[in-house]
Amino acid sequence: HPQPYLRKKALLCLFKLFVKYPQGLRLTFSRVQQCLDDTHPSVISCAVNVITELSDKNPRNYLHLAPAFFQLLTTSSNNWMLIKVVKLLGSLVPEEPRLARKLLDPLATIVRNTQAKSLLYEAVYTITLSLPYARKADGSMPASMPSIVALCAETLKTFVEEQDQNLKYLGLVGFGSLMVSHPKVLSSPDYRPLVLACLSDEDVTIRTRALDLLTGMTTRKNLRELVTQLLRHVDLATGEYKSDLVAKIIEMCSGEKYALLVDFEWYLDVLIT
């Protein structure tokens, strides 16, 4: 139809039809796909929304759309649409690992340039999802990998430093995802006070997320210091969170077959205490 408004309405009607009658996808999805090349930005955005929602259950079915979505990633300036595009591309990475290396630089560009918090976080989080798949066929890593990892860590640090509890929580979740591919990324002294401060947060979900990160921060040099900090929290904690703290202390000390433990007499004192 020549009117963009009606094309958008038709897309939304098709989406409701697909939800109720999934078999209809095979008959008409090609027309939805054509809308990714529409001349009107609002129609493209609507098509992206529809495809992203449809792909939620089974991203593999939409792998053939990766080139079109990558084109939108590198050319669009619509932040809300880019959030959807980034999410969809991130869900496709496990289905096509080669896509991970292709996404790193465009996503890093978004992280460096966008002022939109929502898009910034989605771009960083999708990078963290892509990093485990970024290794080349010969076993080497992309040359830009160290700078991109540092960029992610510094960006997530700003989220954890926020007063807004939701942003702080997202920053901790992002750190957890980053540690899947780079488990020692938080071992730097720059991050230790920040994460430890979260253990005193009023929100138990933030305390629990921060606790999950401590294993990756632990080294032979700082193990005793970290355990001492946790023991202070144990004295003040109650219920399940107290049990979580004790379990984390044991995990940190016994990890890697006690490789980080220097003084077993001290550890026995900790256990008895």
Side-chain angles (χ1 to χ4, degrees):
H1 197 280
Q3 292 188 30
Y5 176 78
L6 292 180
R7 295 201 295 276
K8 285 169 54 182
K9 285 295 184 181
L11 280 168
L12 294 175
C13 289
L14 279 174
F15 172 68
K16 292 183 178 180
L17 179 67
F18 294 154
V19 171
K20 196 164 186 179
Y21 302 101
Q23 60 270 30
L25 271 169
R26 294 185 179 182
L27 299 174
T28 54
F29 185 73
S30 61
R31 302 304 298 272
V32 176
Q33 184 176 339
Q34 288 175 9
C35 291
L36 292 175
D37 297 319
D38 198 275
T39 56
H40 202 279
S42 65
V43 178
I44 297 174
S45 181
C46 186
V48 167
N49 285 333
V50 168
I51 293 170
T52 304
E53 291 298 322
L54 291 172
S55 69
D56 188 52
K57 291 184 178 180
N58 192 355
R60 178 186 290 272
N61 291 340
Y62 302 88
L63 188 57
H64 66 286
L65 296 179
F69 273 78
F70 185 82
Q71 177 71 14
L72 291 172
L73 177 70
T74 55
T75 58
S76 177
S77 58
N78 182 329
N79 286 341
W80 290 111
M81 184 174 73
L82 281 173
I83 290 172
K84 297 284 188 178
V85 169
V86 169
K87 281 185 175 181
L88 178 60
L89 288 171
S91 71
L92 294 178
V93 166
E95 308 297 337
E96 177 48 86
R98 290 176 298 179
L99 181 61
R101 293 191 297 276
K102 195 171 182 180
L103 288 177
L104 290 181
D105 287 333
L107 289 174
T109 299
I110 291 176
V111 172
R112 293 186 182 102
N113 296 321
T114 187
Q115 299 299 313
K117 285 283 188 183
S118 297
L119 177 57
L120 175 63
Y121 183 76
E122 288 300 334
V124 171
Y125 188 69
T126 301
I127 289 175
T128 68
L129 296 178
S130 301
L131 289 173
Y133 301 92
R135 193 175 298 276
K136 297 179 182 179
D138 61 3
S140 63
M141 298 296 261
S144 60
M145 178 74 78
S147 62
I148 289 177
V149 171
L151 175 66
C152 288
E154 284 302 309
T155 304
L156 291 169
K157 182 172 179 280
T158 65
F159 274 83
V160 179
E161 290 171 337
E162 290 279 355
Q163 294 301 311
D164 186 299
Q165 295 292 84
N166 293 325
L167 294 179
K168 183 177 293 188
Y169 179 81
L170 288 175
L172 294 171
V173 172
F175 271 142
S177 182
L178 182 59
M179 288 171 66
V180 172
S181 60
H182 292 75
K184 296 300 181 182
V185 69
L186 297 185
S187 60
S188 165
D190 296 339
Y191 300 103
R192 196 184 314 153
L194 182 67
V195 176
L196 288 174
C198 291
L199 295 176
S200 302
D201 198 277
E202 294 180 0
D203 190 332
V204 66
T205 60
I206 288 179
R207 296 201 303 268
T208 303
R209 281 290 179 180
L211 193 60
D212 290 339
L213 300 177
L214 287 183
T215 304
M217 297 169 55
T218 309
T219 65
R220 296 188 75 176
K221 290 183 178 180
N222 67 23
L223 173 63
R224 193 161 183 164
E225 175 195 345
L226 291 177
V227 170
T228 301
Q229 295 264 13
L230 288 180
L231 287 172
R232 293 177 188 147
H233 289 283
V234 170
D235 292 336
L236 301 173
T238 58
E240 186 178 349
Y241 182 60
K242 185 168 188 172
S243 299
D244 291 341
L245 286 166
V246 173
K248 181 57 67 173
I249 290 173
I250 294 173
E251 179 187 345
M252 290 163 59
C253 293
S254 62
E256 300 179 35
K257 297 181 179 180
Y258 299 95
L260 303 182
L261 197 57
V262 178
D263 187 345
F264 277 88
E265 184 177 346
W266 165 80
Y267 181 46
L268 288 173
D269 288 339
V270 169
L271 293 176
I272 294 171
T273 304

